[in-house]
Amino acid sequence: MTQLQPQSFVSNFSSQAEETDYFDYFYNEPGSEPGTLNIEPTARPSRIILIDYDEDDAIRKVDISPNALLPYLGKNSVSWMDVQGLGSEEVLREVGTIFDLHPLLLEDIVNVPQRPKLDEYKDKLMFIAHMVRRHDGVDGFVTEQVSFILGKNYLVTFQEEELEDCFDLVRERIRNNQGKVRQSKADYLAYLLLDSLIDGYFPILEHYEERIEVLEEKIISEPDRKIMQEIYSIRRELLALRRLLWPLRNVLNLMIRDDHDLLTQEVQIYFRDCYDHVIQILDILEAYRELASSLMDAYMSSVGNKMNEIMKFLTVFTAIFNPLTFIAGVYGMNFENMPELKWSWAYFACLGVMFSIASIMIFLFWKKGWFKTTYSLDEE
Amino acid sequence: MTQLQPQSFVSNFSSQAEETDYFDYFYNEPGSEPGTLNIEPTARPSRIILIDYDEDDAIRKVDISPNALLPYLGKNSVSWMDVQGLGSEEVLREVGTIFDLHPLLLEDIVNVPQRPKLDEYKDKLMFIAHMVRRHDGVDGFVTEQVSFILGKNYLVTFQEEELEDCFDLVRERIRNNQGKVRQSKADYLAYLLLDSLIDGYFPILEHYEERIEVLEEKIISEPDRKIMQEIYSIRRELLALRRLLWPLRNVLNLMIRDDHDLLTQEVQIYFRDCYDHVIQILDILEAYRELASSLMDAYMSSVGNKMNEIMKFLTVFTAIFNPLTFIAGVYGMNFENMPELKWSWAYFACLGVMFSIASIMIFLFWKKGWFKTTYSLDEE
Amino acid sequence: MTQLQPQSFVSNFSSQAEETDYFDYFYNEPGSEPGTLNIEPTARPSRIILIDYDEDDAIRKVDISPNALLPYLGKNSVSWMDVQGLGSEEVLREVGTIFDLHPLLLEDIVNVPQRPKLDEYKDKLMFIAHMVRRHDGVDGFVTEQVSFILGKNYLVTFQEEELEDCFDLVRERIRNNQGKVRQSKADYLAYLLLDSLIDGYFPILEHYEERIEVLEEKIISEPDRKIMQEIYSIRRELLALRRLLWPLRNVLNLMIRDDHDLLTQEVQIYFRDCYDHVIQILDILEAYRELASSLMDAYMSSVGNKMNEIMKFLTVFTAIFNPLTFIAGVYGMNFENMPELKWSWAYFACLGVMFSIASIMIFLFWKKGWFKTTYSLDEE
Amino acid sequence: MTQLQPQSFVSNFSSQAEETDYFDYFYNEPGSEPGTLNIEPTARPSRIILIDYDEDDAIRKVDISPNALLPYLGKNSVSWMDVQGLGSEEVLREVGTIFDLHPLLLEDIVNVPQRPKLDEYKDKLMFIAHMVRRHDGVDGFVTEQVSFILGKNYLVTFQEEELEDCFDLVRERIRNNQGKVRQSKADYLAYLLLDSLIDGYFPILEHYEERIEVLEEKIISEPDRKIMQEIYSIRRELLALRRLLWPLRNVLNLMIRDDHDLLTQEVQIYFRDCYDHVIQILDILEAYRELASSLMDAYMSSVGNKMNEIMKFLTVFTAIFNPLTFIAGVYGMNFENMPELKWSWAYFACLGVMFSIASIMIFLFWKKGWFKTTYSLDEE
Amino acid sequence: MTQLQPQSFVSNFSSQAEETDYFDYFYNEPGSEPGTLNIEPTARPSRIILIDYDEDDAIRKVDISPNALLPYLGKNSVSWMDVQGLGSEEVLREVGTIFDLHPLLLEDIVNVPQRPKLDEYKDKLMFIAHMVRRHDGVDGFVTEQVSFILGKNYLVTFQEEELEDCFDLVRERIRNNQGKVRQSKADYLAYLLLDSLIDGYFPILEHYEERIEVLEEKIISEPDRKIMQEIYSIRRELLALRRLLWPLRNVLNLMIRDDHDLLTQEVQIYFRDCYDHVIQILDILEAYRELASSLMDAYMSSVGNKMNEIMKFLTVFTAIFNPLTFIAGVYGMNFENMPELKWSWAYFACLGVMFSIASIMIFLFWKKGWFKTTYSLDEE
């Protein structure tokens, strides 16, 4: 039995630059046997990391086999089995057998992504939520499904990836015996993990706040067609976020409303805090969605305004030069009897008239305020 | 009594290229007798295919007459009577008599399409759902109503067509004794069929996901008027899909909420899984509907942008050539006293002035960034 | 006591081409006595047509006086008193007295149109619904309020007009002893009439389906301003239809939910069928409303597209002829020293340059694909 | 004790042409003492008009002092105290003391306008509603808050103005012993007044119906920018109306749902009629709001259509004259060697070519149908 | 123990012109310990101001240390501890310990801003609301979170700033023994403060009413692109206001619905008044939001109208001068045989024809009404 090693808590960060498919969903081949596990070829092999702790001690075992978990289940200590990677059907089925998971439940855990949901069983509580994090460098976010099985003395979590998760600070706290986690039961651990997961949505919100702010400025100063794409992207991604959070809100509502044998009332207060956070996130999401929709309106009228500016510009040119060109045309006619042509000062008079007409035109347009706006077009 | 023959499970695929009428609905002539069966002239004659199985044995009988079903009803084995084709009034009425169906219930089964619904009777449960599948080659989907009558030891299904259904994998499983179907009762069979039917919606969703993705790219790169039609079609078809699924959601909700004598609690867990799938499909549908609506906004502003590009182009031409043509006009005037005309270098000076004006204009437009956008128009 | 005469069932069809006011509603002069009957001057005089039947016999009496109804009320047979025309205050008041109707109830019956509603009294059930039928020749529909008073052995109906109603098939069935109507009580008769009335909405839906389909094609092929009017009319009329059906849905919901002494459970199953039909109609209505709204979006972007086509056309002309006219202007100048003018081939060279410029322009526009769309404009 | 004088029932009509502020609301200075009465300087001094009646007798006293009301409260007759004008704090406070009104309740009565609401107290029921009436001559409506205090034998009403109200017909009926008012209790009187008040909304609805109809015609025949303002005004005013009616609906719903000691079941039937009217008004309001919104869509596309017409006009002129002017320019060039210039019939040939080009252009535009629409523009 | 000094009630007003971030929200670093207090570096140090009063006496102590509060808690008098500034973690934690606050509760108080909410504990009630006030000089508003802890004999409030609050009038009333505050318990004090806070929303509403009115006029008289920004700002800020008020509505609803040991029924009547105010504010907010959205529609169609005006102007110029310039061009051609050129009156005839064409054009445009609208453009 090894003592927990600090360095092993450090997760390996690796860049994943693949395009996010925000409206992905899992589905079985129609007509296939219920409970079929769909192992994607690209899924990482499953590793199990066990952290077992009580007030006095905390051990951590990496790459433990499912059967080696059995001794820990009987103990009074809290056992957190973290299954990372959904690529090994055998391992997952063994875990399913050990914890007596319904085939449909295992299907929901493995066949990602699923909608957040809460299933209650006699001796365990199962819920699904989604971790989100920012892409490095590009806009948007990536999601990863995390499934929780909360039993009397244990918590099993299933993650799609073994890399990067938002649970390191919790692991740290278990290892260093910070806070009350080592004094608490598995339900408090479930809360801590879910809370970390939910807090991970806030930086994403901030990301969208920034993008909306950039758009607000851009629409006024330099409306171009990239704005349309950007607004569309934002609407699309906020929609995707909402799809993750609305059902999560219901999950949490069920957790804090009903009596559950596995959740002490004290820990329900904590879950209520989670619920408040989800509500707050949804609240902001809805506000952003409305803002994005108002921005679209603003952009559309801005396109119309821009057209008006261009039209004014065109009209000014046409209105000034059309009369002048006409006058020039008149005196370019070849009639034999055109008395003006012979007056020696006629040419200069004609130029003078032309100049006057142009001046009057410019003055009229200036009075209408067309040049003011034409100028502001220049600034853009 | 023939043993089940594998080849008989293969359904005959035939192309049906008729135009889908997504908002079709059945209605009787106002004032007609309740319970009137409306047999459409084009409806296929009704065939009954019986599959009767228990843990030990499974038989299949094709083109059995309604009365020949009676002996199977008394047995302990599960009897699945699949009525394919709604064209033979006599057969349908006989089936109605054997299973003691209310005239209105039989009306709902035969007069397709109806809204999905659940009717509960003392000794049976009736529900209606709709199968969807992709057209071959063209966009959109076709639907087919499936009515289920679940009794104690039997399940009767009514399909519009005898061709193509999504139940072949279930038949296969019964024949090969795969999974737990042969160990289970008629309610589990009902679940299996409904689950297959619902899973059939996912490929349709994928079809719309692809179409939306194509549109997203097209709106940016080459907005033309076909986009408008395509967005309209997508909105229309998603609306039609939603009409099928919202009531189905209610049907399933009733099935999993209430106590039903005919559904064991164990099988209700499975129906709950169906319910989750329908919720997920509706969720995605709503997201697609919002995306399609955002796309329409994006397309509209894109049309406006395009107009701005064209207007800029027109304005550039007008603004450059109007002053030049005016100057040419001035020196085309026939005044006798126009001193410039006599200077030997005047013509070249005039050309130089014209060139300067054109250059200045082009420079000003370039500074305004009009050429940048004009150029991007070229790329489209 | 006359035997029922077949010819008397034939209703007199007369064309009523008056403009429908879809958002009409009745209101009393503010402050007037509750229970005031408002007899419109144009209202037809009230006629009472009695049909009294039991399993053995069915009689019909036309233009019976209210007091002559009394003997039928005490009998075991079912008496259907059909009051056609709301123009005779005295007759209506007498009917009110005979059936002991609350003044406010009578007010609702006479002061048409009212919102559909259900009022339950100790010994009777009153509900209001609206018959719809197509105008002859023109678009839209006309409505007529039908009020039902269902008592133990009788049913009283009040119609605005004595002409055309949708109850003839029911009358036929009573006369010919078809179906189970003669074996049933007054509640079944009420169902039959309401069902006929509701089925009358389906042809109206079909009418709107056709109009929407015509619009879908027209928007693509020949968008003109009549489309805008047509979409507006459709939205307006669908809105009017919804106003009739939403409250009717509630009426039916109350009828099938609660226990009513006057409705046997067996007949409630039939009313449930009515309810399903109303739900289905509302469902389709909502779908059509969404389609009409999507059509408006499509039309608006189509107007924008059309403008782009026109602008392209204008720009092509301007961009081709402006440079050419400028060149012609240059060689029309009268400078003495313009060497090109003297070269003998200069004119032809100039024409050649002009032709080249025009060709290049046309080629550039063709490459941009402007002619393709300009051409499609021609097809419209 | 004076007998009721007929002439005193006539209210003084005076024109109030001030601009209506539809979204007005009352608020106290933040932090002020709860129960502070805010007497506006322009508020009319409060007059109390007492009408006391039973089956046998009815008296009316004008400008009675609050304390003089006391003797009437103990009697079995119904006392209607109508407080007109909210300008005399002392009078209002005295009334408050006599009827034992909670300070917050008095605040709601005096500090107008408040939202309609129902407050129930041990021995009295208080509700607030708003009278509406048309401005003379101008569009829109004015509102006036009416607060009702219903006690066992009395009804107190508070109105903002002593002028014009919609209760005169009720006063008439009390005076002339028409209807059942004199045989009924205070709750029936409350119903009569509320019913008059609600019926006053119907003429306002009619006013909007007319304005919408005018707009429907105008949008087709002569779209101008006043339409936009008018649609906006209508939307704004309908919104204001809805704000008055939604809470009133809740007030009435509470009155007919719950058991109230002060409302007999018989009178609750009458209030139910009020409720039906409010529902009907709200129904129509929502329909009008949707129509106004559809009208805005129609107007926007009509603006776009108009632009297309103008553009076509411009394009026709440009496309016809640009080629002609170019040809004239070519033969205005001064090249020495231009053989055509010397041919004697060249000028006429040139004119002929010009004429042909113009004809072909016009023919092409005519075939495209541009002139048809251009013409319809003329009609507008 | 100092007597309350009047001058100490005066708050120090200081201008805070920083940009308001309406959609700000607090979040912890994901994975951090629950109950972590996040003290912002710019937060003001925490001061505690105690006001302790009963019917007879009222004292005020400034800058009291948390422990010095203890003696007051045991007394029967009401103690209001006002903690101003959230910058001193130690002080806040001490307060938390004294009042036995749950770590999560303290977190919500300190980590501002939070969503309004109500948490009920055995012996105390905690709720969060937000004070709003106008910026000096600029548009918009600033918010400040106020947290209330209501115990049996005490009320603790936490404010972000020690400056400016809306509670001065309440302090005044305590000091001067005005109203019933000194005769009441802590729950009445809580009401008074919350009421002041809510009343502070009304001036903000008025601010938006004014801005909307300005826009309504501007859209008609001088539509420019600042309107678009202004509408967007208003929509954004109203959205932010709604986010503060919707949850506050729920808080108040919970307070007046349920039984709370700490709220007497008498004071609940007062809270009900607060609830009514919040409902009224929300009501108006929604109306303003709809108006702002209608204004956007109006603005968009106004942009389109403006474009039509510009286009008409351009078309008039083009349509008048194009034919004239063409004619001039014709007679500028150099054909040798152009008989008209030799007629002595031809030049004047030509000028006459030109004049006629221009006149006819102007007359036609005038008849179409184009000049009328062109003129109204001038006025803008």
Side-chain angles (χ1 to χ4, degrees), chain A residues 124-191:
Chain A
K124 56 186 160 289
L125 210 63
M126 181 269 201
F127 52 95
I128 291 176
H130 295 80
M131 214 144 53
V132 292
R133 65 170 174 280
R134 293 271 288 109
H135 257 312
D136 305 316
V138 293
D139 282 345
F141 57 90
V142 285
T143 69
E144 187 182 335
Q145 174 170 325
V146 186
S147 313
F148 297 81
I149 314 265
L150 175 63
K152 200 166 155 39
N153 280 319
Y154 63 87
L155 177 74
V156 194
T157 53
F158 295 84
Q159 303 187 47
E160 292 179 50
E161 306 274 344
E162 60 185 304
L163 319 164
E164 264 186 278
D165 61 20
C166 54
F167 299 153
D168 282 345
L169 280 170
V170 177
R171 293 192 187 98
E172 197 94 12
R173 261 188 275 152
I174 296 174
R175 188 163 59 86
N176 298 339
N177 198 353
Q178 290 167 328
K180 31 186 291 193
V181 56
R182 289 267 287 269
Q183 286 79 47
S184 310
K185 288 292 174 195
D187 53 354
Y188 186 76
L189 177 64
Y191 153 70

Side-chain angles (χ1 to χ4, degrees), chain A residues 11-23:
Chain A
S11 63
N12 325 331
F13 287 80
S14 80
S15 70
Q16 320 166 270
E18 76 273 50
E19 182 67 23
T20 315
D21 185 357
Y22 294 113
F23 295 95

Side-chain angles (χ1 to χ4, degrees), chain B residues 299-314:
Chain B
Y299 176 60
M300 278 200 199
S301 64
S302 155
V303 168
N305 271 319
K306 185 126 193 182
M307 196 168 341
N308 281 358
E309 300 298 300
I310 298 170
M311 294 294 308
K312 280 180 188 172
F313 197 82
L314 173 65

Side-chain angles (χ1 to χ4, degrees), chain A residues 227-239:
Chain A
I227 288 178
M228 180 195 82
Q229 297 175 35
E230 174 70 354
I231 296 175
Y232 179 75
S233 295
I234 288 176
R235 288 171 90 168
R236 192 163 160 270
E237 294 166 22
L238 290 175
L239 188 58

Side-chain angles (χ1 to χ4, degrees), chain B residues 341 343-349 351, chain C residues 330-331 333-347 349, chain D residues 334-337:
Chain B
L341 296 180
W343 304 339
S344 65
W345 44 268
Y347 170 51
F348 305 100
L351 288 185
Chain C
V330 165
Y331 292 107
M333 293 195 296
N334 297 320
F335 288 108
E336 293 197 342
N337 182 18
M338 288 176 72
E340 301 97 313
L341 297 181
K342 303 195 172 105
W343 305 338
S344 65
W345 45 267
Y347 170 52
Chain D
N334 297 320
F335 288 107
E336 293 196 343
N337 180 20

Side-chain angles (χ1 to χ4, degrees), chain B residues 108-376:
Chain B
D108 286 342
I109 289 168
V110 177
N111 300 347
V112 293
Q114 295 286 331
R115 241 178 141 242
K117 66 172 184 171
L118 175 78
D119 277 350
E120 204 175 349
Y121 296 88
K122 219 173 41 259
D123 58 346
K124 57 185 158 289
L125 209 61
M126 181 269 200
F127 52 94
I128 290 176
H130 295 80
M131 213 144 54
V132 292
R133 66 170 173 279
R134 293 270 289 108
H135 258 312
D136 304 317
V138 293
D139 282 344
F141 57 90
V142 286
T143 69
E144 187 182 334
Q145 175 171 324
V146 186
S147 313
F148 297 81
I149 314 265
L150 175 64
K152 201 165 154 41
N153 280 319
Y154 63 87
L155 177 74
V156 194
T157 53
F158 295 84
Q159 303 187 47
E160 293 179 49
E161 305 275 345
E162 61 185 303
L163 318 164
E164 260 187 280
D165 63 20
C166 54
F167 299 153
D168 281 345
L169 280 169
V170 177
R171 293 190 188 99
E172 197 93 13
R173 262 189 274 153
I174 296 174
R175 187 164 59 87
N176 298 338
N177 198 354
Q178 291 167 328
K180 31 187 290 192
V181 57
R182 290 266 285 269
Q183 286 79 48
S184 309
K185 288 290 173 195
D187 52 355
Y188 186 76
L189 177 64
Y191 153 70
L192 276 184
L193 297 178
L194 194 57
D195 191 49
S196 299
L197 184 151
I198 290 167
D199 283 349
Y201 281 88
F202 282 105
I204 305 290
L205 284 185
E206 205 150 73
H207 167 62
Y208 287 100
E209 192 186 10
E210 277 162 28
R211 284 168 75 181
I212 287 173
E213 265 165 27
V214 168
L215 276 179
E216 282 171 3
E217 272 170 41
K218 248 186 166 174
I219 273 180
I220 292 154
S221 63
E222 37 164 346
D224 63 17
R225 76 170 50 189
K226 271 178 208 144
I227 288 178
M228 181 196 82
Q229 297 175 35
E230 173 71 354
I231 296 175
Y232 178 75
S233 295
I234 288 176
R235 288 171 90 169
R236 191 163 161 272
E237 294 167 21
L238 291 175
L239 189 57
L241 272 181
R242 200 179 65 155
R243 276 190 61 224
L244 298 177
L245 284 161
W246 256 108
L248 187 56
R249 178 184 166 280
N250 292 338
V251 165
L252 279 160
N253 199 18
L254 286 174
M255 284 171 106
I256 62 176
R257 279 290 140 87
D258 303 347
D259 267 343
H260 301 273
D261 292 343
L262 288 159
L263 297 181
T264 60
Q265 221 166 355
E266 194 209 9
V267 171
Q268 271 187 325
I269 291 177
Y270 284 94
F271 275 105
R272 188 171 163 167
D273 194 55
C274 280
Y275 178 74
D276 284 348
H277 286 183
V278 171
I279 291 282
Q280 188 158 358
I281 295 168
L282 276 168
D283 222 46
I284 297 164
L285 267 187
E286 288 308 310
Y288 287 173
R289 276 159 52 88
E290 279 206 35
L291 285 182
S293 166
S294 299
L295 273 176
M296 198 63 181
D297 285 358
Y299 176 60
M300 278 200 199
S301 64
S302 155
V303 168
N305 271 319
K306 185 126 193 182
M307 196 168 341
N308 281 358
E309 300 298 300
I310 298 170
M311 294 294 308
K312 280 180 188 172
F313 197 82
L314 173 65
T315 306
V316 165
F317 262 84
T318 306
I320 291 175
F321 285 103
N322 266 13
L324 304 189
T325 304
F326 164 64
I327 292 174
V330 165
Y331 290 108
M333 293 195 297
N334 297 320
F335 288 108
E336 292 196 343
N337 181 17
M338 289 176 70
E340 302 98 313
L341 296 180
K342 298 187 179 113
W343 304 339
S344 65
W345 44 268
Y347 170 51
F348 305 100
C350 180
L351 288 185
V353 166
M354 285 171 172
F355 183 79
S356 310
I357 288 175
S359 305
I360 288 168
M361 279 294 170
I362 288 170
F363 176 74
L364 287 178
F365 286 122
W366 174 81
K367 251 192 78 182
K368 277 194 188 188
W370 284 23
F371 286 109
K372 202 172 51 197
T373 38
T374 307
Y375 187 70
S376 82

Side-chain angles (χ1 to χ4, degrees), chain C residues 27-47:
Chain C
Y27 67 94
N28 273 314
E29 199 192 347
S32 64
E33 175 76 15
T36 306
L37 299 194
N38 184 296
I39 308 293
E40 281 186 59
T42 61
R44 320 242 166 180
S46 310
R47 303 170 61 197

